[in-house]
Amino acid sequence: MALLTPEDLENIRKQLEKADTAVSKVTGLDVKGICKDLYGTSPHYESVGIVPVTSGNGIIGNFSASLNVIADYFGFDSFVTEMPDVSGYYEAVESGAEIILMADDHTFLAHNLTNGKIANNQPCTGIIYADIASRYRYADSKDVLVVGLGKVGFPGAEHLVNKGFNVYGCDPDKSLMKKAIFKLGITPFDLKTPKKFSMIFEATPCANTIPETVLAEKCLVSTPGIPCGLSGELQKKYNVDLVMEPLGIGTASMLNSVL
Ligand code: NAI
Ligand code: PYL
Ligand code: MG
């Protein structure tokens, strides 16, 4: 998994507010509203225990503190445990946490101890960013382009298919392409084809994955990918609305999905 850095998470509250404003502008709903529509849930200050995890590459500076800001921003009542790992888990439960949030290098989970529901960050992130793309208020058709069909992109593409959109997808990984074509029925797309899209969902860990040829004038790029797949130059040239944020939107999706 591509790991976040402390720099990605600097000023998370500002990044989140900016992204939430962008989501409202392009969809008519803020992130809370989209979560309510997706999962039928609204937070009521549920207690969220955030447990730092030292295994693998270890603690990411700003990670737990950012989750604390994010959970509170979306209407939860969160705290970070003093101890990490198993001791931190024990501390969170003993302190009354209803939901546990914790991540190692492979899995970032939310586990609701009161109802047993558990969520994984990758599908939850894919679903909400794809959903945001699908709600673009200036869309001119039901065609959506998905760039990257990995652990975030595939569930996002599946969500778009289930919502009845015409999903075009690309990924250099041939086995992922096959899976998306046969399991989801997406249309394979070559990024060199000169077809314009007004809705693009991007989920890769690479820069400059979105070429000029696919950008309609005034379109939406919704992307959790780090770094951003759209260059600043193309964003300006095509008047692209951009939704991107490193942690909060996906975490909101996870937390709401376990309520
Ligand atoms: P992954 O490695 O499972 O999938 C990425 C896919 O992108 C791969 O299948 C790869 O073949 C494909 N790809 C690479 N270059 C491409 C190109 N030029 N065109 C089309 N496809 C291309 O990674 P995963 O877990 O799906 O994560 C994707 C990105 O999302 C990463 O940058 C990750 O850090 C980020 N992420 C961000 C979150 C957030 O809240 N903002 C949450 C979770 C992940
Ligand atoms: C959840 C993010 C989104 C993108 N990449 C994922 C990542 O960086 N995962 C690793 C998270 C590790 C957290 C560390 C800590 O500080 O507790 N174990
Ligand atoms: Mg996010």
Side-chain angles (χ1 to χ4, degrees):
M1 187 196 292
L3 301 183
L4 288 165
T5 66
E7 292 72 38
D8 292 329
L9 299 170
E10 269 169 15
N11 298 316
I12 194 68
R13 169 103 198 178
K14 263 206 174 143
Q15 295 196 56
L16 195 49
E17 282 169 357
K18 189 173 168 210
D20 209 5
T21 302
V23 170
S24 299
K25 180 180 153 228
V26 299
T27 70
L29 282 178
D30 62 8
V31 172
K32 252 191 191 177
I34 289 185
C35 287
K36 186 165 188 200
D37 214 58
L38 270 175
Y39 303 112
T41 54
S42 297
H44 294 286
Y45 306 104
E46 286 81 359
S47 173
V48 175
I50 297 156
V51 182
V53 173
T54 64
S55 71
N57 282 286
I59 301 284
I60 296 176
N62 293 335
F63 186 75
S64 293
S66 297
L67 291 180
N68 202 4
V69 170
I70 290 162
D72 285 352
Y73 178 90
F74 286 111
F76 295 84
D77 181 14
S78 61
F79 65 95
V80 180
T81 59
E82 278 180 24
M83 297 295 287
D85 306 324
V86 175
S87 302
Y89 184 94
Y90 182 71
E91 181 187 331
V93 176
E94 283 290 294
S95 306
E98 294 164 271
I99 299 172
I100 301 290
L101 263 189
M102 59 186 185
D104 66 10
D105 294 349
H106 305 286
T107 303
F108 172 23
L109 65 78
H111 190 188
N112 188 330
L113 304 175
T114 67
N115 61 17
K117 291 186 187 176
I118 192 161
N120 182 306
N121 177 252
Q122 288 156 330
C124 289
T125 298
I127 287 167
I128 193 163
Y129 276 86
D131 201 69
I132 290 165
S134 76
R135 290 171 182 270
Y136 190 41
R137 55 189 349 170
Y138 308 112
D140 59 7
S141 77
K142 292 205 96 180
D143 295 351
V144 189
L145 175 62
V146 179
V147 181
L149 292 161
K151 292 179 282 301
V152 173
F154 191 92
E158 184 172 32
H159 178 69
L160 292 167
V161 169
N162 291 340
K163 272 191 103 171
F165 284 81
N166 306 322
V167 182
Y168 294 73
C170 62
D171 195 301
D173 183 323
K174 288 198 176 110
S175 68
L176 286 175
M177 276 307 295
K178 259 195 185 165
K179 191 174 141 202
I181 294 164
F182 291 109
K183 281 203 170 165
L184 305 181
I186 69 152
T187 304
F189 186 77
D190 181 343
L191 285 172
K192 291 189 200 101
T193 311
K195 174 174 166 57
K196 305 275 187 189
F197 291 86
S198 59
M199 295 174 283
I200 299 173
F201 162 52
E202 197 269 7
T204 84
C206 306
N208 300 315
T209 54
I210 303 176
E212 189 160 3
T213 41
V214 301
L215 293 169
E217 173 68 28
K218 184 84 184 153
C219 61
L220 173 63
V221 171
S222 177
T223 177
I226 303 162
C228 183
L230 179 70
S231 71
E233 187 195 332
L234 290 183
Q235 185 188 357
K236 246 193 184 163
K237 184 167 176 189
Y238 288 90
N239 192 16
V240 179
D241 285 313
L242 180 64
V243 172
M244 59 170 286
E245 187 279 331
L247 188 63
I249 295 177
T251 303
S253 179
M254 294 167 76
L255 285 171
N256 277 278
S257 78
V258 300
L259 287 179

